[in-house]
């Protein structure tokens, strides 16, 4: 069993593959991080929003008079005034997305309509947040309440009140159907068809730091300087320039330390646009720090999908094909839901050999918070598939592990592709399943389970397996677009250190450590001599930022290749200086030296100085000791693995204790095993939270019920068990870059793993689990000791 | 999420504090440990005009013994009580309940009197006060001191018998009779959360039968309640699983617990029954009941 | 009776004098200002983080007279005369404390936002109970929320710090 200090990989370099201590930590452990809320600018003002107390209403009148003359108030903006200053954009991830999808029309602050609880109606800017909140209370808003559409089911009813007038209905997209393979023939040949209705409840990111922005417009220069809590600075810059209608070159966005995100902080939210617009109008710095109630109520929520599934199977348990109908509850304003349809559809076969799939998707608009990306946004495919496999196993009276092993695709054997298209090259699903079953010792667990049941104790074991496109297989015939490439700049500084400029925007992923590890090894200097610059649109290359578990491969790979290219340049210059061939030289520990001791060595400082001066070098030599590298992802590949949970359910109270949690995973070559394991465990903890604790709850009238951390329950140190991790040996697909992403997998597969374990524990009660969220009261209902 | 403006005084004598309350009536609010009040202020759910901070009044945080009674000033911090040997010796049920209150950083500020006066229906200390037949001393400028039995103190949802000009100044817990075992249990979504259901229980055994039983439940009614019917039925009975099971049924008879996001009324009813059975078992064992006899029949879960 | 008639006002300014990280500090605040905001805004000690402002997440935990307290659940005026220790006071003369060092060695944290609260709560725990079991550590930390790590690395860091401070304890 591995710990961070005993990774199974051979150490690639001195740093890559080792649990190098993080360079981020000295500042974070001493309270010297710089989060957006820590920024202090002279004359900085503070913003607060007036928000809708109703889920759906017409805004009849907004009276801001009293607030404007309240103590410390510098400005008040209602929806109409804000509409003059800023255009509403497409929300967290650009437009609502998807072909043939009409965009809903709305404003930055509500003008005519509020569409969810907490919808921003007015903005107050004051000398302190205290005074801004005081003034918010003086703003009178008259509403005419409309019937709230609080479920996808209601939204799909043509009689429901359209939430966006220009759309005419609450169906944003669909139903659209795609078919792969001969679905009808496969179902006709099946011995039986297993059906299930599976639901995934609404839950959300809840980073410990909410959203936030400090916007500072200088009327003298026309420059807008912004500090943001974001996963990518360029996206913020582009969105603000477009929505405020100012030239891109006048907008500068920086980000410091980010207190987590998990998918929430992409692009700019309506609030952030409003705050920037206020700064533009006032010519003063304005700060908005989202409070926890705002964060829970309006920042965005995720995951609310329901599925009708039919599985064509043989009597022996071969899964031949699936028919899936999915409905997404996308909430009120543009989010990522329509973009996810394609990913969920493509990923639902997972690592299994099925021959046919029919997938129908509908996206509904409701009066709830917008659908945002949350760690493995497409994860419902894994939830549905892995729960379904256990339901199939139960119907056949077979062990789910046997059914999984029977159906899983085996590396190198047909089919070489998922039925939906992507290559299955390099997958290790079979290995991870077998290893997990061995580590858990399934046979002896079953004996222990039986004994426990005789004592009235209910233990269960559950497995889940997944593959994650991190970055996903590369089709050699396809050239990636410029946006898909990862750009990176690296240069040798005059002091002999190396600086890496990356568009990655770490918010816990430790890129300032991992990219420095890779750069140090492949350039040839100590880890401490590499500086990684992030979060400044004036300095870092274009790129979408950190998300989608892309960084390890894309930024890790870009760093590797850039370091090699920079090294070649440095050797070229050094060779001139010491009059030898570059092929005889090497960079070791900050010195350029010949492999044979006969030639003299030279320091990197000397090389950098000579390159800058140029007088000792012949004309024609490239003196620019800086490289820009765009990486296409190399051969790409899957991350994946199998998780296993052992639980005990107290059938009298419905409380679940996770007794053991085991991960067997494959993320390729690890840059820093301690960081990899931190990502895996963090994801598992969120998955445990989703099943046992977390739910974004709404009342029938659309009132949001979980607006505090006493209502939205995050897992704590007593809820999350020790999580054991074993890493599988790397299948090398690329000559150089075999790091694969690991950010999302834990969160993707933990919910079905835990659900399967709970279902196994409750098998003696004949419980059939088809929902992801299993709080204690619900378990007693399922067990039957309490009425639903 | 910032508190609204309020006037503030931190008087250095009880008289001064009482006179502030007398002057401002229900516009004033007493600030004890602040662990419930300050979040309500930050959420702007409470809007007192004047806060009267008791922390600078000398002598309100003492713990002492008087004729076997535990006597605590209302400003005793919960963390202090938790670590005080005298509390452990004289009031084991209180000792058992204290670690269930929030988390260490809450208990180091939160006060025993503040929790009782706040009267959250899910809070631990009101149940302990009820189960132990504690006496609560209320003081006002106009009427001086009066002593209220805990049974008369809790009046409803966040409602107590305290008048707006009164301060809860002292809490007295009676000595425990020989042969008494206690148990505090609760079922919460997470460790440290307000419980969905909590139970403070004590059982006194004499010659192998139950001589006395006290059961105070939280989370099943607008205020903490004693399960009197169950207590009566237990007296004279043998400590067996069947008897405890029956006590659980009786404890919830006629109750319609409130529902919330975390537990429905039905759930709380079922769990209250389970807790009564489990807590009685533990209390009876501590009181000296025989394991074998108690657990005869099908094995108990806890 | 009106407030002003009793010499009271909701916008009265209070002088706050206290010791923070061993230094005497002072400020002038409205009664409603929380200790957290006072530390962050008035004393520029931004290491104390606000994660929920309603006393659940623990990010703002500081030590007040040696005991852990949520600085969002205390008013600055309540802290008058107290000795407050914040995350900025843990490292002495630029040297990480043994706890900070252990958390660094064990990759305890990721985004760092909850970190100050955890470190202060752990400091308080180890003051009161120098040799806790892993279960006791988890229980003591269950009022501090970390959304990144799943807690294992934090607990590991604490246990390592305990082990390194008890070199003779071979158990």
């Amino acid at each position: 069993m591995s710990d961070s200090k005993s990774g199974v990989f051979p150490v690639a370099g001195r740093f890559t593959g080792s649990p190098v201590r993080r360079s981020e930590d000295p500042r974070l452990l001493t309270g010297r991080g710089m989060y957006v809320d820590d920024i202090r600018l002279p004359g900085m003002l503070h913003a607060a929003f007036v928000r809708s107390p109703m889920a759906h209403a017409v805004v009849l009148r907004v009276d801001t008079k009293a607030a404007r003359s309240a103590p410390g108030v510098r400005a008040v903006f209602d929806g109409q005034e804000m509409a003059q200053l800023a255009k509403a954009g497409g929300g967290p991830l650009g437009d609502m997305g998807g072909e043939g999808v009409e965009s809903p029309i709305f404003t930055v602050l509500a003008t005519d309509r509020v569409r969810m609880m907490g919808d921003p109606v007015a903005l107050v800017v004051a000398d302190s947040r205290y005074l801004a909140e005081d003034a918010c209370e003086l703003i009178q808003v008259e509403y005419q309440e409309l019937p709230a559409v609080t479920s996808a089911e209601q939204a799909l009813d043509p009689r429901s009140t359209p939430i966006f007038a220009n759309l005419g209905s609450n169906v944003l997209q669909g139903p659209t159907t795609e078919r792969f393979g001969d679905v009808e023939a496969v179902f006709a040949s099946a011995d039986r068809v297993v059906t299930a209705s599976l639901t995934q409840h609404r839950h959300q990111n809840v980073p410990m730091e909410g959203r936030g922005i400090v916007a500072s417009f200088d009327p003298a220069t026309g420059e807008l300087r912004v500090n943001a809590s974001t996963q990518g600075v360029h996206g913020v810059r582009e969105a603000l320039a477009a929505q405020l209608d100012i030239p891109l070159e006048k907008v500068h966005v920086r980000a410091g330390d980010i207190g987590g995100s998990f998918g929430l902080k992409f692009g700019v939210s309506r609030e952030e646009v409003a705050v920037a617009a206020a700064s533009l109008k006032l010519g003063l710095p304005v700060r908005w720090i989202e409070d926890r109630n705002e964060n829970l109520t309006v920042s965005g929520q995720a995951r609310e999908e329901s599925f009708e599934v039919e599985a064509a199977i043989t009597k022996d348990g071969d899964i031949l094909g699936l028919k899936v109908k999915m409905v997404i509850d996308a909430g009120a304003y543009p989010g990522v839901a329509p973009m996810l349809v394609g990913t969920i559809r493509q990923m639902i076969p997972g690592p299994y050999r099925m021959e046919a799939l029919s997938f129908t998707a509908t996206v509904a608009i409701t009066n709830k918070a917008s659908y945002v990306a949350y760690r493995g946004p497409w994860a419902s495919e894994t939830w549905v598939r892995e729960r379904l496999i256990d339901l199939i196993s139960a119907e056949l009276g077979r062990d789910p592990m046997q059914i999984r092993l029977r159906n899983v695709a085996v590396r190198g054997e047909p089919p070489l592709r998922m039925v939906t298209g992507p290559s299955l090259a390099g997958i290790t699903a079979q290995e991870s399943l077998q290893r997990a079953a061995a580590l858990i010792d399934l046979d002896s667990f079953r004996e222990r389970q039986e004994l426990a049941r005789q004592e009235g104790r209910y233990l269960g074991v559950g497995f889940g397996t997944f593959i994650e496109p991190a970055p996903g297989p590369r089709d050699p015939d396809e050239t990636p677009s410029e946006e898909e490439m990862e750009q990176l700049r690296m240069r040798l500084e005059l002091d002999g250190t190396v600086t890496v400029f990356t568009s990655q925007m770490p918010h816990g992923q430790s890129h300032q450590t991992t990219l420095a590890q890779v750069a140090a090894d492949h350039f040839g200097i100590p880890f401490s001599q590499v500086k990684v610059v992030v979060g400044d649109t004036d300095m870092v290359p274009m790129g979408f930022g950190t998300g989608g578990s892309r960084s390890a491969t894309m930024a890790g790979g870009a760093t590797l290749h850039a370091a090699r290219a920079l090294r070649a340049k440095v050797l070229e210059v050094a060779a001139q200086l010491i009059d030898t061939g570059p092929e005889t030289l090497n960079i070791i520990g900050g010195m350029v030296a010949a492999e044979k001791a006969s030639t003299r060595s030279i320091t990197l400082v000397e090389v950098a100085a000579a390159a800058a001066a140029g007088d000792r070098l012949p004309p024609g030599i490239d003196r620019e000791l800086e490289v820009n590298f765009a990486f296409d992802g190399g051969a790409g590949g899957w991350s994946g693995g199998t998780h296993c949970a052992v639980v005990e359910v107290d059938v009298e109270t419905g409380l679940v204790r996770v007794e053991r949690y085991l991960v067997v995973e494959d993320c390729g070559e690890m840059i820093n095993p301690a960081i990899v394991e931190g990502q895996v465990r963090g994801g598992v903890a969120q998955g445990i939270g989703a099943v046992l604790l977390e739910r974004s709850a709404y009342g029938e009238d659309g009132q949001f019920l979980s607006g505090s951390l006493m209502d939205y329950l995050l897992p704590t140190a007593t809820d999350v068990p020790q999580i054991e991790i074993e890493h599988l040996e790397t299948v090398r697909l690329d000559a150089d870059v075999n790091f694969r992403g690991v950010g999302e997998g834990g969160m993707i597969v933990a919910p079905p793993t835990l659900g399967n374990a709970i279902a196994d524990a409750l098998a003696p009660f004949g419980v059939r689990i088809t929902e992801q969220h299993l709080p204690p009261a619900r378990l007693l209902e399922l067990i039957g000791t309490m009425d639903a | 999420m910032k508190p609204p403006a309020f006037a503030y005084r931190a008087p250095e004598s009880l008289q001064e504090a009482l006179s502030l309350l007398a002057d401002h009536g229900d516009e004033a609010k007493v600030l004890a440990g602040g662990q419930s009040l300050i979040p309500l202020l930050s959420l702007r759910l409470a809007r007192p005009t004047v806060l009267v901070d008791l922390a600078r009044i000398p002598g309100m945080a003492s713990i002492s013994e008087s004729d076997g009674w535990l006597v605590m000033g209302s400003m005793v911090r919960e963390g202090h009580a938790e670590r005080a040997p005298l509390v452990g010796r004289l009031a084991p049920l209180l000792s058992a309940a204290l670690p269930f209150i929030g988390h260490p950083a809450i208990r180091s500020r939160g006060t025993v009197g503040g929790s009782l006066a706040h009267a959250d229906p899910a809070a631990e200390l009101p149940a302990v006060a009820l189960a132990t037949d504690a006496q609560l001393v209320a003081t006002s400028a106009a009427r001086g001191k009066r002593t209220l039995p805990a049974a008369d103190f809790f009046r409803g949802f966040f409602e107590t018998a305290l008048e707006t000009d009164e301060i809860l100044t002292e809490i007295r817990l009676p000595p425990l009779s020989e042969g008494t075992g206690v148990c505090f249990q609760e079922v919460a979504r997470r460790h440290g959360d307000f419980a969905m259901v909590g139970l403070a229980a004590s059982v006194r055994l004499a010659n192998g039968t139950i001589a006395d039983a006290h059961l105070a439940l939280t989370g099943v009614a607008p205020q903490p309640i004693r399960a009197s019917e169950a207590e009566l039925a237990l007296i004279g009975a043998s400590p067996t699983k069947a008897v405890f099971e029956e006590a659980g049924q009786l404890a919830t008879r006629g109750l319609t617990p409130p529902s919330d996001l975390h537990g429905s009324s039905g759930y709380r009813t079922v769990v209250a029954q389970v807790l009564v059975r489990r807590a009685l078992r533990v209390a009876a064992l501590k009181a000296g009941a025989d394991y074998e006899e108690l657990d005869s029949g099908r094995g108990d879960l806890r | 009776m009106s407030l002003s008639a009793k010499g009271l006002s909701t916008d009265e300014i209070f002088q706050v004098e206290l010791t923070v990280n061993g230094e005497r500090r002072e400020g002038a605040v409205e009664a409603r200002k929380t200790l957290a905001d006072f530390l962050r805004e008035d004393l520029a000690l931004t290491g104390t983080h606000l994660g929920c402002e309603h006393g659940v997440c623990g990010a703002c935990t500081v030590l007040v007279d040696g005991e852990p307290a949520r600085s969002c659940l205390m008013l600055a005026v309540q802290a008058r005369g107290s000795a407050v220790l914040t995350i900025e006071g843990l490292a002495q003369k630029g040297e990480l404390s043994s706890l900070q060092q252990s958390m660094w060695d064990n990759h305890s944290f990721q985004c760092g936002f909850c970190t100050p609260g955890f470190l202060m709560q752990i400091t308080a725990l180890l003051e009161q109970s120098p040799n806790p079991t892993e279960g006791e550590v988890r229980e003591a930390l269950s009022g501090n929320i970390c959304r990144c790590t799943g807690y294992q690395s934090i607990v590991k860091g604490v246990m390592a710090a305990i082990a390194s401070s008890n070199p003779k304890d071979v158990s």
Side-chain angles (χ1 to χ4, degrees), chain A residues 433-453:
Chain A
L433 280 163
Q434 288 170 336
R435 188 69 189 135
L439 286 169
I440 214 76
D441 193 355
L442 208 44
D443 292 340
S444 69
F445 173 80
R446 292 290 177 207
E447 282 171 32
R448 188 159 72 88
Q449 180 182 43
E450 191 44 47
L451 287 173
R453 280 177 186 169

Side-chain angles (χ1 to χ4, degrees), chain A residues 395-458:
Chain A
E395 279 209 29
L396 294 175
R398 300 277 293 272
D399 191 288
M401 179 52 78
Q402 287 174 16
I403 298 295
R404 283 190 172 79
L405 285 170
R406 184 180 185 91
N407 285 283
V408 79
V410 176
R411 182 155 33 90
E413 291 176 17
L416 298 172
R417 290 186 173 274
M418 294 166 75
V419 66
T420 48
S423 160
L424 286 168
I427 64 156
T428 50
Q430 185 193 42
E431 289 92 326
S432 71
L433 280 163
Q434 288 170 336
R435 188 69 189 135
L439 286 169
I440 214 76
D441 193 355
L442 208 44
D443 292 340
S444 69
F445 173 80
R446 292 290 177 207
E447 282 171 32
R448 188 159 72 88
Q449 180 182 43
E450 191 44 47
L451 287 173
R453 280 177 186 169
Q454 288 165 17
E455 295 170 16
R457 293 175 54 216
Y458 293 87

Side-chain angles (χ1 to χ4, degrees), chain B residues 2-3 9 23 56 108 191, chain C residues 6 12 32 37 53 68 142:
Chain B
K2 306 292 184 190
R9 281 292 175 268
D23 287 348
R56 290 174 202 275
S108 62
H191 176 76
Chain C
K6 297 300 291 182
E12 187 175 354
R32 62 169 158 168
D37 281 337
E53 297 183 274
S142 65

Side-chain angles (χ1 to χ4, degrees), chain A residues 22 24 505-511 514 546 551 675 679, chain C residues 110:
Chain A
R22 304 197 316 161
E24 292 86 349
M505 190 60 247
H507 41 285
Q509 295 86 349
S510 326
H511 296 145
T514 52
T546 293
S551 328
I675 289 169
Q679 288 291 317
Chain C
Q110 291 175 27

